[in-house]
Amino acid sequence: MQITRHAAERFLQRVFSFASYNKEQIRNAIHLLERDLYNLQLREKRRVVLPSFPNFYGVFVENTLVTVIPKRLNASL
């Protein structure tokens, strides 16, 4: 499984509310996501809840995490 730079940036922006970040923080975010998703089995799913961050989905394309999006709370409203 691979993690894109875009996914790491969205992870920092959406999960931790960072407005700015440096290369080291992006590398750390990639490592954190790799550890979090290490044993994940995708099985034809495109959106998967991030194990350590259950309020966020990881969006996958061809076994690559391409972005991180928040879950919609009260989606039925």
Side-chain angles (χ1 to χ4, degrees):
M1 173 179 313
Q2 296 187 349
I3 314 286
T4 63
R5 178 183 164 93
H6 175 82
E9 290 177 359
R10 294 301 173 258
F11 178 73
L12 290 172
Q13 291 170 352
R14 294 176 177 157
V15 175
F16 295 110
S17 302
F18 283 13
S20 63
Y21 35 83
N22 58 34
K23 289 180 184 179
E24 184 66 28
Q25 290 170 318
I26 292 172
R27 276 194 297 266
N28 289 340
I30 290 172
H31 292 299
L32 190 144
L33 287 166
E34 285 173 344
R35 283 194 312 249
D36 196 36
L37 302 171
Y38 178 70
N39 289 327
L40 188 66
Q41 299 294 325
L42 294 178
R43 297 184 190 194
E44 304 296 325
K45 289 189 176 181
R46 184 168 174 178
R47 285 187 183 180
V48 177
V49 175
L50 297 178
S52 296
F53 304 94
N55 291 329
F56 294 89
Y57 287 114
V59 178
F60 290 86
V61 174
E62 297 180 6
N63 207 27
T64 301
L65 179 65
V66 293
T67 193
V68 174
I69 57 174
K71 279 185 171 180
R72 279 196 268 168
L73 300 176
N74 299 325
S76 62
L77 296 177

